[in-house]
Amino acid sequence: MIKQETRFHLCESAEQVASMTAQRILTAAEQALSARGQFQLVLAGGRTPLRAYTLLADHFSDWDGWHIFFGDERCLAPDDPERNSHSAAQAFLDRVPIPASNVYPIPAELGAETAAARYAQLIGPRLPFDLVLLGMGEDGHTASLFPGRDIARDALVMPVDDAPKPPPQRVSLTPRALASSAELLILVTGTDKRQALADWRRGVDLPVARVAAAGRTEVLMDPDAAG
C-alpha cells in the first residue's frame, strides 16, 4: 500500500466532532448522489460515531440513494444490542426512510468464517465506497483490527477469532477494503484514547495507523483525546 498523509483536525469538543461528522457525511452524500445517484457509506461501531448518527436522523437527504455497509461486526444474534448494526439501526437507520434493501449488515450470526466470505462477495463488486467512517479504541484498534493480531493483506473481509475484547469472534473489513474509499473519516474522543492517539502520531505501528496511511484520511479529535 502507498502511504498517504493523514490530516488531523482538533475540534472544540466531542459534540463538535459529532456535528462535523454528520455534516461531512451529508456533504459526501450530496456529492455522490448528484454525480451517480447513489451514496455508499460504511458505518463504524462505538460510542463516538453513534452521536453523529443521531444528528443525521434530524436532517433531510435523498435517502433512497443511500447504501449502508458496516466496517465490522460481532458474532452475535442479529437482534443483540451489542451488534453494531443494531446500535446503528436504533440511532439512525430506523429513523430515516433508507430502503431496507439498501442496508447490508454483516451476517456475523453465521460465524466469522462464513460471514467474512459472504460479505467479501457482496462488497467486492461495490468498491470503492464513497465514505468510510471509523472510530479508534483505547489500544489503537479500529473496526475489529487489533494490535498484536494478524491482519489480512489481500482479503477484503477477514474473520477474527481471538479479539481481546468480548466477544472474541468477529468479522472485520481489512485495510485494503476500508481504504478503497474516496475518503476515510476517523473519530477520536475521550481521555482514554489519548495515549493511543499520541502513539499513532509519533509513528507506532497501530492498526488504525495502517488503515489511515492506506487511504485519503481525516481525523476529527476532541481536546480530551488530543491532550
Side-chain angles (χ1 to χ4, degrees), residues 133-209:
L133 193 66
L134 292 168
M136 186 191 75
E138 64 279 357
D139 58 355
H141 83 266
T142 193
S144 282
L145 307 173
F146 291 93
R149 305 295 197 272
D150 290 336
I151 296 176
R153 290 181 176 272
D154 298 325
L156 294 174
V157 188
M158 58 179 279
V160 178
D161 295 313
D162 58 350
K165 299 177 67 174
Q169 274 212 331
R170 300 168 178 233
V171 181
S172 182
L173 271 62
T174 64
R176 177 186 168 196
L178 294 168
S180 183
S181 176
E183 184 177 8
L184 292 101
L185 191 60
I186 302 179
L187 317 181
V188 186
T189 63
T191 55
D192 57 334
K193 313 291 178 63
R194 184 178 297 176
Q195 186 60 57
L197 181 60
D199 289 344
W200 173 9
R201 300 189 74 176
R202 66 182 176 85
V204 175
D205 183 23
L206 297 172
V208 68

Side-chain angles (χ1 to χ4, degrees), residues 109-131:
E109 67 277 5
L110 302 178
E113 293 279 353
T114 298
R118 291 196 183 183
Y119 212 61
Q121 291 178 341
L122 172 72
I123 68 170
R126 305 296 297 263
L127 297 177
F129 301 116
D130 293 300
L131 178 62

Side-chain angles (χ1 to χ4, degrees), residues 1-61:
M1 291 182 181
I2 299 174
K3 288 197 172 185
Q4 301 193 36
E5 183 178 355
T6 298
R7 296 165 293 150
F8 291 86
H9 182 85
L10 178 60
C11 299
E12 295 178 357
S13 64
E15 289 69 28
Q16 189 184 49
V17 170
S19 63
M20 286 187 66
T21 298
Q23 191 55 57
R24 295 290 177 86
I25 294 172
L26 290 166
T27 298
E30 182 179 354
Q31 293 171 347
L33 290 165
S34 177
R36 297 184 309 283
Q38 69 173 18
F39 172 53
Q40 298 196 132
L41 171 66
V42 177
L43 297 183
R47 68 179 186 272
T48 301
L50 282 175
R51 297 182 185 182
Y53 301 159
T54 59
L55 296 176
L56 275 178
D58 295 329
H59 289 79
F60 172 80
S61 182

